Amino acid sequence: MVFFIIGLGLGDHLDITVKGLEAVKTCKEIYLESYTSILGINRQKLQEFYGKEVIEADRECCETGIDKILENVCADPQNNYAFLVVGDPFCATTHTDLFLRAVKLGIKVEVIHNASIINAIGCTGLQVYRFGETVSVPFFTEKWKPYSFYPKIKANLDHNLHTLVLLDIKVKEISEENLAKGKKIYEAPRFMSTIVAVQQIIESDKELGLNAIDEKTKCFGVARIGFETQKIVSGYLHEFLDIDMGAPLHSFVICAKELHPIEEEMFQFYRNNQQKID
């Protein structure tokens, strides 16, 4: 028995590796994690491609149902199981936790890697090894505005490093009002855009008084990386308040204060070719 944790890459059903696909074909049950990210195609498409049922592992499953899945795996040593992850398995702590839980239960775990936004962000032309700590920007609410991500951006800028900014997604969320009433009514899915992210980044800088960004801060916006419709745009931070990157998923990059000549050339390429790309 093997419990596979398999990366699906960034694109559609064809981005799974040959090794990953062969592993899926051996599995009795296949789970698709839809909490930390989403796949650009529906689950039905995956089922048709694999010729097997694919079970959605949503937020509730990932937060409270993982132990039950692992119990079922332990009780069935004659069969393989798979947990599918958008991108690469070890780019989210959720999957690291899953790996550790399985290993502690004595389950044989095999991880099959794939591309993720962490390395695919090199499509901007920025040198991947010049990125500092990655940050995640959550949706602000009237009562909850966590600015804790922002000092990490400043620290990266102070060290002349780029910052990959991951944007929040809300899937199968229950509103505070319905939660208080005990009603299990899910909100419509929401995916943060680069416009909202930049608004919150500017607000964070102002509220914390760090003055880490200005009108000369160079940035990249990327959307749907790995798909035919992917979009890459470069510009200055405040310009992104008016740039519509289209359908999700979006990510954002705040560039280091100094760019390598090749990085600068790529920045100008995407800036000058934005209209052509659109």
Side-chain angles (χ1 to χ4, degrees):
M1 176 267 290
V2 179
F3 182 59
F4 292 102
I5 305 178
I6 303 172
L8 296 181
L10 294 169
D12 58 22
H13 59 292
L14 298 177
D15 275 9
I16 190 172
T17 64
V18 174
K19 185 177 182 180
L21 182 58
E22 291 300 314
V24 164
K25 291 178 179 178
T26 71
C27 293
K28 177 183 177 181
E29 289 187 356
I30 304 164
Y31 294 87
L32 172 63
E33 191 262 287
S34 61
Y35 173 34
T36 61
S37 187
I38 59 166
L39 200 61
I41 58 172
N42 60 41
R43 185 162 49 96
Q44 181 64 33
K45 187 73 173 179
L46 282 186
Q47 294 181 150
E48 293 173 0
F49 185 60
Y50 299 153
K52 290 175 173 283
E53 180 186 6
V54 176
I55 304 166
E56 183 181 4
D58 57 16
R59 176 175 181 171
E60 289 183 14
C61 178
C62 291
E63 291 184 342
T64 62
I66 290 297
D67 287 337
K68 181 61 178 177
I69 293 175
L70 295 179
E71 287 176 11
N72 292 339
V73 174
C74 288
D76 187 16
Q78 303 303 316
N79 290 291
N80 295 339
Y81 289 74
F83 194 83
L84 309 181
V85 175
V86 178
D88 184 82
F90 282 155
C91 286
T93 54
T94 298
H95 313 129
T96 306
D97 178 67
L98 172 63
F99 173 85
L100 290 171
R101 290 196 202 186
V103 169
K104 290 175 181 177
L105 290 171
I107 297 172
K108 181 181 179 181
V109 182
E110 184 173 338
V111 177
I112 301 178
H113 295 282
N114 210 319
S116 78
I117 191 62
I118 302 297
N119 64 293
I121 199 63
C123 65
T124 57
L126 299 176
Q127 297 166 355
V128 175
Y129 46 80
R130 287 199 64 207
F131 278 78
E133 184 174 357
T134 298
V135 304
S136 297
V137 178
F139 277 112
F140 288 176
T141 68
E142 291 184 4
K143 300 179 180 179
W144 188 66
K145 294 187 176 184
Y147 301 130
S148 56
F149 70 89
Y150 191 73
K152 298 176 183 179
I153 294 177
K154 184 180 185 305
N156 286 341
L157 287 169
D158 288 344
H159 289 88
N160 201 29
L161 298 173
H162 310 307
T163 305
L164 172 59
V165 183
L166 303 180
L167 311 188
D168 199 5
I169 66 172
K170 298 289 187 183
V171 180
K172 296 194 78 172
E173 296 275 334
I174 302 175
S175 68
E176 293 182 3
E177 181 181 354
N178 285 326
L179 196 61
K181 294 179 180 178
K183 294 182 178 180
K184 200 172 184 180
I185 301 175
Y186 297 112
E187 300 286 290
R190 290 193 298 151
F191 307 96
M192 183 181 289
S193 67
T194 53
I195 292 175
V196 172
V198 170
Q199 290 172 344
Q200 295 188 179
I201 288 169
I202 292 173
E203 177 182 335
S204 300
D205 185 73
K206 181 179 179 180
E207 290 297 321
L208 296 178
L210 295 180
N211 299 315
I213 53 176
D214 55 34
E215 67 278 0
K216 295 181 180 179
T217 301
K218 294 178 179 179
C219 301
F220 280 86
V222 300
R224 302 172 301 283
I225 296 302
F227 287 85
E228 291 182 359
T229 61
Q230 78 173 28
K231 186 173 183 178
I232 304 170
V233 177
S234 64
Y236 296 98
L237 182 71
H238 288 73
E239 293 177 336
F240 280 93
L241 291 171
D242 300 310
I243 297 175
D244 182 1
M245 296 295 293
L249 294 170
H250 297 181
S251 295
F252 196 67
V253 178
I254 297 176
C255 299
K257 294 180 180 179
E258 299 175 2
L259 299 186
H260 181 277
I262 296 296
E263 293 179 319
E264 179 64 36
E265 189 173 345
M266 290 296 283
F267 177 85
Q268 296 302 332
F269 169 78
Y270 282 115
R271 185 167 175 76
N272 294 336
N273 286 274
Q274 179 182 334
Q275 195 65 40
K276 178 181 176 182
I277 293 170
D278 288 343

